[in-house]
Amino acid sequence: MQLAAILVSLVLIAVGVALFGRALVQIYRFVRLGQPVPAGTRTDEPVQRTVTVAKEFLGHTRMNRWGVVGVAHWFVAVGFFSLLLTIVNAIGQLFTSDWLLPVIGEWAPYNVFVEFIGTMTVLGILALIVIRQLSKPGKAGRKSRFAGSNFGQAYFVEAVILIVGVCIFMLHALEGAQHHVDSYEASFFLSYPVVAWLRGMDVATLQNLTYFFAGLKIATSFIWMITVALKTDMGVAWHRFLAFPNIWFKREADGDVALGELKPMTSAGKPIDFEDPGEDDQFGVSQIEHFSWKGILDFSTCTECGRCQSQCPAWNTGKPLSPKLLIMALRDHSHAKAPYLLAGGGKDEEGNEKATAEQLADVPAAALAEAERPLIGTLEEGGVIDPDVLWSCTTCGACVEQCPVDIEHIDHIVDMRRYQVMIESSFPSEAGTMLKNLEKKGNPWGLAKKQRLAWTKEVDFEVPVVGKDVEDLTEVEYLYWVGCAGALEDRAKKTTKAFAELLHIAGVKFAIMGGDEKCTGDSPRRLGNEFLFQQLGAENVATLNAAFGESLNEEGEVDESTKKPRSAKKIVATCPHCFNTIANEYPQLGGEFEVIHHTQLLQHLIDEGKLVPVTPVEGLITYHDPCYLGRHNKVYTPPREIIAKVPGLRNEEMHRHKERGFCCGAGGARMWMEERIGKRINNERVDEALSLNPDIVSTACPFCLVMLTDSVNGKKNDGKAKESIQVVDVAQLLLDSVRTPADPDGEPAAEDAPEPEPVK
């Protein structure tokens, strides 16, 4: 047995190490097929990036959000790397059954560590096996986060970890038996009962057991290594290596996820100059090799855990988009096409092959066939990604927020959309109306700019307008960016008027633009029309800079002599999409502004005592988190604090809230597209709200307000919702509470209201 174990183990070790080394080189060459990224964007702040990797791995900051799954995975992951010396120990035990590692082999702290981590690795993988079985698609169907995952590969990996963990435990116990441990001690604080049982066996039996378990551990480990070396697209195994560089090279060095702003469009690693694009500039992604090398690394790192899928609003409402399956499809396609690309293959803009016949002579037929598949296309066309998958995304960010290995799903989806829109002119027809309206009128509804100010005639106080009532914004504290929806959509206008009245009551000096402003460009950018975003954004930045008293020089840039610090240019917005674009994306266009959401300002005014909620607003309320306020910008507390300050309201959270909040269905330009597949996302969200039997559904976004109102009204008509239920913005709730009750003559009964607290 000893001789057989030695021979088999040495052969497997030699083959495994050689193949694994070759696989690492293949993956490195493969990832480098992707396009370069702008200089410094993935390698800045190396110390901070290293700290981020350590924090995410050792703290399991994403995984631990999932309770027992995170704890179990922590032990499995830490055990894999920290118990590597047990392989060395097992090799020594093949030759001498009672062999111990030099120096540390008899060191109690090391043995306690091996004992504890080894045992917990076994318990951890058993827990994960049970969880996988309980969540199998056969039982949960589409709702299972494992739907579409490679179960065979997962079973193989789980079996390997379980076998290796049991071998570590048994070899440690056999050490104790062979070294005559005859009483409890710290080094064997868990395995001592097994040690005591083994002590009753003769020496030959103990030796043969040692050879067996040592050989089994080594054989299992290196069969695993050979398998993954031969299958470099096995994400469920390779993620344990690729996750480290993928996290290190993530978009934000400080550990933030790739949400908020979209990055500028690049070609060959350089931002595209839309005023004078180069002849060879690549607009978006139409081939797998057009993705950046970080994208290729993303695809290879996916572990198929399905956390993104379980949170995706499209997948949860019967649509074909699963962020997990999309990334898996891109991974499988990229790996299958890799031999063709590595041989120099590729197509030019006219579709002509760039490689010679000699270069492609040794490329496998399967790789050549894969190279002919369109990246975006229907199943009949052999496409890798179906158009319905691409256009189902709401860019809500749930996938990016939950991914434990920091895959940047939204960036890749938008890159593919960019090519479809800007080069192929292929997108849902309804979105075309929105784009035409933006091009002609500067707003999605195509209304005249004078209508942007119509709401100001519906309030009983003066709303200052820049250029008319105030010369520029230096005369006021805030510019209130009303936005297209807030100025032109009837339901959103109620929020606008309520917020403006609250500012008036609080004595906050503010002004609005005079109608020359245009859509911020959020929808066209996420639809994929980067050119239109750049155009709208540049015009708005110039308009805003001028409104803040900055003048432009002959080159169209801000004159440094008039330039003001960001802190002096304050903007408040009621629309999270405007808020996100102006705050996070306009700096790319030279617009540096201090932007806050209206709920943040209202909370501040309440804290200062400038707004005092006194009138009860009775009823049960549930709050819906707008994706672009919550996940994209981490603003969760202010709206809830406002609700908590309104007397009479009883707040109850929906099951999916805050980081796991469920989208209303309007993001990613879906506001302007019909839902023709599956259940409407807004109906799914409203059903969740109605399960609480609330009197009020509140939100803090005009898009969400429209989507939720439409669904609630539809359910009222169908008799599925009570007639009294309201959908309102938190600003409307606050205004109802701040207003004092009126006496029979209609005059405010101010004497009934308590004195406001002194301003801090």
Side-chain angles (χ1 to χ4, degrees), residues 95-116:
F95 294 90
T96 305
S97 64
D98 61 351
W99 188 81
L100 297 174
L101 287 169
V103 183
I104 63 172
E106 295 184 87
W107 189 40
Y110 174 72
N111 284 303
V112 169
F113 179 82
V114 171
E115 179 100 328
F116 177 68

Side-chain angles (χ1 to χ4, degrees), residues 309-442:
Q309 180 174 284
S310 70
Q311 303 298 301
C312 177
W315 183 259
N316 274 278
T317 53
K319 295 168 182 62
L321 168 64
S322 157
K324 177 188 72 177
L325 298 180
L326 179 139
I327 295 297
M328 288 170 60
L330 292 172
R331 177 197 65 198
D332 294 345
H333 173 62
S334 60
H335 280 262
K337 190 177 179 180
Y340 163 79
L341 296 173
L342 289 169
K347 302 289 179 66
D348 59 22
E349 290 298 321
E350 286 74 35
N352 301 314
E353 179 58 59
K354 293 187 286 188
T356 63
E358 291 75 15
Q359 287 177 293
L360 301 179
D362 296 327
V363 175
L368 292 172
E370 194 71 27
E372 296 301 317
R373 295 180 66 193
L375 185 67
I376 308 298
T378 62
L379 289 176
E380 292 76 16
E381 297 168 339
V384 178
I385 304 298
D386 191 279
D388 285 334
V389 170
L390 192 64
W391 297 112
S392 293
C393 180
T394 67
T395 67
C396 70
C399 51
V400 180
E401 178 69 39
Q402 294 298 330
C403 182
V405 292
D406 283 300
I407 292 171
E408 299 165 1
H409 311 73
I410 292 177
D411 289 355
H412 306 317
I413 288 172
V414 171
D415 274 340
M416 289 186 282
R417 285 182 170 188
R418 284 166 168 168
Y419 182 85
Q420 292 299 302
V421 172
M422 302 183 69
I423 303 300
E424 297 291 334
S425 295
S426 175
F427 50 86
S429 57
E430 317 93 76
T433 302
M434 177 265 293
L435 294 177
K436 289 177 183 176
N437 288 336
L438 288 175
E439 291 169 357
K440 294 179 179 179
K441 298 293 186 178

Side-chain angles (χ1 to χ4, degrees), residues 566-592:
R566 178 176 176 271
S567 58
K569 299 186 288 184
K570 296 181 179 181
I571 299 175
V572 60
T574 42
C575 176
H577 297 266
C578 296
F579 164 56
N580 178 69
T581 304
I582 299 172
N584 299 325
E585 298 185 339
Y586 278 8
Q588 300 169 11
L589 306 175
E592 296 282 349

Side-chain angles (χ1 to χ4, degrees), residues 453-678:
L453 298 179
W455 68 270
T456 62
K457 299 178 176 63
E458 300 170 16
V459 295
D460 55 5
F461 55 90
E462 291 296 323
V463 178
V465 176
V466 178
K468 178 182 176 183
D469 303 300
V470 294
E471 184 176 345
D472 60 44
L473 291 166
T474 59
E475 300 179 31
V476 298
E477 189 175 358
Y478 288 98
L479 165 67
Y480 173 23
W481 182 273
V482 179
C484 300
L488 303 171
E489 207 284 327
D490 287 340
R491 287 160 289 190
K493 282 162 67 174
K494 295 177 182 178
T495 302
T496 301
K497 290 183 284 187
F499 179 60
E501 187 168 346
L502 287 167
L503 294 182
H504 177 70
I505 292 170
V508 176
K509 289 186 176 181
F510 74 98
I512 64 171
M513 300 299 291
D516 290 330
E517 74 275 22
K518 296 184 177 180
C519 170
T520 57
D522 164 83
S523 289
R525 190 174 215 195
R526 279 148 187 80
L527 181 74
N529 196 329
E530 182 71 9
F531 177 79
L532 184 54
F533 163 76
Q534 295 280 337
Q535 181 182 352
L536 293 169
E539 291 179 18
N540 279 334
V541 167
T543 301
L544 285 169
N545 284 337
F548 279 106
E550 296 179 336
S551 58
L552 303 181
N553 56 28
E554 293 178 356
E555 287 75 30
E557 298 172 345
V558 175
D559 189 327
E560 289 297 322
S561 64
T562 64
K563 191 170 185 178
K564 294 177 175 58
R566 178 176 176 271
S567 58
K569 299 186 288 184
K570 296 181 179 181
I571 299 175
V572 60
T574 42
C575 176
H577 297 266
C578 296
F579 164 56
N580 178 69
T581 304
I582 299 172
N584 299 325
E585 298 185 339
Y586 278 8
Q588 300 169 11
L589 306 175
E592 296 282 349
F593 310 103
E594 183 177 315
V595 191
I596 62 171
H597 189 251
H598 75 291
T599 56
Q600 294 173 300
L601 180 54
L602 292 177
Q603 181 205 355
H604 176 67
L605 294 173
I606 292 172
D607 291 343
E608 285 193 327
K610 293 182 178 179
L611 291 174
V612 183
V614 290
T615 304
V617 179
E618 300 294 342
L620 177 67
I621 185 172
T622 189
Y623 174 72
H624 163 80
D625 284 286
C627 299
Y628 272 79
L629 183 63
R631 269 192 298 270
H632 281 273
N633 285 283
K634 305 297 180 282
V635 179
Y636 298 111
T637 303
R640 289 174 168 82
E641 291 204 354
I642 293 170
I643 291 170
K645 294 290 176 63
V646 175
L649 285 178
R650 293 170 290 117
N651 185 32
E652 187 169 345
E653 296 283 7
M654 285 181 264
H655 174 67
R656 294 175 288 200
H657 64 281
K658 292 189 176 179
E659 289 86 355
R660 294 196 191 181
F662 197 79
C663 182
C664 74
R670 291 293 325 175
M671 176 81 171
W672 319 105
M673 294 182 257
E674 273 301 323
E675 287 188 55
R676 296 186 172 88
I677 304 173

